[in-house]
Amino acid sequence: MARVAVIGAGISGLATAVMLGRRGHAVTLFEQETRQAGEDLNRDFFHWNRPRVPQAVQPHSFLAPVRAVLRAEAPDVYADLLALGAREYHDFDWFGEHPPHRAGDEDLVTLRTRRIVLEAALTTAVRREPTVEVRRGCRVRALTFGEGRPARVTGVRVGEQTHRADLVVDASGRRSPVPGWLVEAGCRPPVVESHRAGIAYLCRWYRLRADGPRDPGRVQNGSAGPFALAGVFPSDNDTFAVNLVLSTADPTRGALTDPTVFEAAARRFPATAAWLSLAPEPRSPVLAMAGLDNRWTSLADDEGPVVTGLVNAGDSLVHTNPTLGHGVALGLLAAQHLAAHVDRIAADPAGYHAWTARALRPLFDAQVAADRANEQRLTESSPLPDRRAAALAACAFDDPVVMRARAQVRHLVRPADAAYGTEEVDQHVTAWLAARPDFEPRHDGPTRAQWNALVRA
């Protein structure tokens, strides 16, 4: 059995430790933060200052791979998630009655919950694992190296102590110091590809009132204007988040941090207006997040691994702007692969690097392309899509066949060209358009003039 040191007890680090521990490996998990999730979810969520993890308080929807990995590897964690208030939402729930079942439909399920709930469930699971030791308040200061070409990582240094390991997993997040340590040690530098995402997020959390209305009715969770997007994230325990997305260059962005301005703006989009009409209780200030990028950090170059005895996972490996909600899904997929192949990876990480390039890199590239298009549209108020492209999006909410294709893309089951490019989907979109000869692409959010007037007021 392997001795594994995991740097970082975020979701990816916790999940890696749980999955390795359940295979009997000796795992030591190092986390510089002394606090852990789980004693009081609302206190943890609303009052835990976590500047290194700005995404912790932003809204989440966990895609199908999260559910699939947890049910396969840690069904107790999944059961705890549901017990703590997470809710399953099948994409066909939009229709009320599901269409005739097809293979794979059972997996098209989103987990609606705040990130802190998943952290709490994983933290509890780690405590149950006899072969996993968690060292909180322990900041890893350096790696230790042995002989060889490429150099082999033999452990980590914490203070004056050295902890030896057969494999070190860097799960310390998007600000990981590990690439710098490798360069300082004389290794070939990791290959880092970074794409700035000029997109800003502002959200505010609400709770439905116990004596108030509970359901906004049949309304989509997203709306769009020519320069701004708005969305609702239903979550656990009667909470939900309203989210606005703009270009980082938008001159009105700063004004939206005022809760009054934020809510007035959100009421100009049908999706968010419907939820705000339920008179919910505000639970947070307006929470902003920007300055994000899509970054791929490979510990292998054209010559092969730059180091052995070390791999990266989670945001240390692939950090994506949250537009498509891929982050936690990619982190759990990497954790599952690591746990299943740890002995082979400890001996030679080349196969792991090849797997990440094959399984995860295409999703990173898709995120980069989507963000580039979104940034351009939000910055320049680009023209609406053509009629058929707009129909493909709108049709999904009337037609289960097109909704299935949409869900397969969203949940990382199939790439867009494969899911949408079938004769069946083409026929259904054509029929939908034929029944709506007056359909034209349009925004359902405010115009720029309306928006500017609102912000000034």
Side-chain angles (χ1 to χ4, degrees):
M1 291 294 162
R3 297 171 301 169
V4 183
V6 179
I7 307 172
I11 285 177
S12 292
L14 289 166
T16 300
V18 167
M19 295 181 206
L20 285 168
R22 294 189 174 181
R23 288 169 168 81
H25 300 287
V27 182
T28 306
L29 180 60
F30 296 92
E31 170 55 48
Q32 60 182 313
E33 176 69 64
T34 57
R35 186 169 176 173
Q36 60 186 352
E39 294 181 7
D40 184 324
L41 290 178
N42 285 327
R43 185 190 67 192
D44 289 342
F45 186 73
F46 293 114
H47 303 295
W48 183 0
N49 183 29
R50 306 173 73 179
R52 293 191 304 273
V53 195
Q55 69 272 26
V57 292
Q58 293 291 320
H60 285 70
S61 285
F62 294 133
L63 303 180
V66 175
R67 178 174 177 265
V69 171
L70 290 177
R71 292 176 74 193
E73 300 287 342
D76 56 321
V77 173
Y78 193 74
D80 284 350
L81 262 178
L82 298 181
L84 289 169
R87 295 183 295 155
E88 293 184 335
Y89 177 83
H90 196 290
D91 285 57
F92 287 153
D93 289 347
W94 170 260
F95 300 111
E97 182 177 342
H98 288 202
H101 178 79
R102 294 187 185 179
D105 283 355
E106 65 277 6
D107 295 326
L108 304 178
V109 176
T110 300
L111 275 177
R112 291 178 163 179
T113 183
R114 291 169 292 174
R115 178 189 173 102
I116 198 74
V117 178
L118 177 54
E119 287 185 88
L122 286 169
T123 298
T124 300
V126 163
R127 289 199 295 263
R128 290 196 289 259
E129 293 307 311
T131 65
V132 177
E133 178 188 3
V134 181
R135 298 189 184 180
R136 290 194 173 271
C138 290
R139 182 178 181 182
V140 175
R141 298 287 182 179
L143 304 171
T144 59
F145 294 86
E147 301 295 327
R149 280 277 181 203
R152 181 169 188 85
V153 172
T154 58
V156 299
R157 194 179 304 281
V158 180
E160 298 301 316
Q161 296 184 334
T162 296
H163 180 87
R164 296 186 64 81
D166 302 311
L167 180 68
V168 175
V169 178
D170 175 19
S172 59
R174 61 194 181 105
R175 295 187 178 95
S176 169
V178 167
W181 293 344
L182 295 177
V183 172
E184 291 173 4
C187 301
R188 301 193 310 275
V191 179
V192 180
E193 183 178 330
S194 184
H195 303 266
R196 197 67 167 173
I199 300 173
Y201 300 84
L202 299 103
C203 84
R204 195 180 192 199
W205 286 91
Y206 298 83
R207 184 187 296 279
L208 295 171
R209 299 180 188 274
D211 58 349
R214 319 294 297 163
D215 189 347
R218 197 166 180 264
V219 59
Q220 294 182 31
N221 285 343
S223 293
F227 54 88
L229 308 175
V232 174
F233 288 77
S235 197
D236 60 277
N237 298 298
D238 290 335
T239 62
F240 69 90
V242 169
N243 195 48
L244 298 179
V245 182
L246 301 91
S247 165
T248 53
D250 195 295
T252 65
R253 178 163 66 99
L256 293 170
T257 58
D258 181 324
T260 302
V261 178
F262 176 88
E263 190 160 313
R267 289 183 181 276
R268 298 305 299 264
F269 296 89
T272 45
W275 283 81
L276 291 172
S277 71
L278 302 178
E281 173 193 1
R283 292 301 313 273
S284 77
V286 178
L287 305 168
M289 183 173 66
L292 302 173
D293 61 358
N294 295 299
R295 187 166 62 251
W296 179 270
T297 303
S298 176
L299 301 183
D301 58 17
D302 291 341
E303 298 181 36
V306 302
V307 69
T308 62
L310 169 75
V311 293
N312 51 3
D315 283 358
S316 299
L317 166 66
V318 52
H319 171 247
T320 51
N321 183 43
T323 315
L324 303 180
H326 288 173
V328 173
L330 300 187
L332 292 194
L333 288 170
Q336 183 181 43
H337 186 85
L338 270 170
H341 305 284
V342 64
D343 292 319
R344 188 185 314 163
I345 293 168
D348 180 1
Y352 176 74
H353 298 317
W355 174 83
T356 63
R358 182 174 64 254
L360 306 184
R361 179 63 198 234
L363 301 172
F364 171 81
D365 292 338
Q367 178 79 63
V368 170
D371 283 345
R372 188 175 291 124
N374 273 335
E375 181 184 5
Q376 180 180 9
R377 183 170 73 80
L378 295 173
T379 303
E380 302 174 3
S381 297
S382 298
L384 287 160
D386 65 47
R387 187 169 182 263
R388 190 168 187 88
L392 186 65
C395 176
F397 294 91
D398 292 321
D399 188 315
V401 167
V402 184
M403 178 62 86
R404 179 182 287 111
R406 177 183 184 272
Q408 289 172 342
V409 175
R410 197 171 75 85
H411 288 292
L412 314 182
V413 175
R414 300 176 74 191
D417 56 351
Y420 289 126
T422 67
E423 183 177 349
E424 181 183 38
V425 169
D426 182 70
Q427 289 174 348
H428 279 248
V429 174
T430 298
W432 188 89
L433 276 170
R436 295 163 178 82
D438 297 330
F439 171 78
E440 291 295 336
R442 67 179 185 88
H443 294 301
D444 60 355
T447 66
R448 172 58 82 174
Q450 293 170 332
W451 180 273
N452 288 342
L454 178 152
V455 171
R456 283 196 300 269

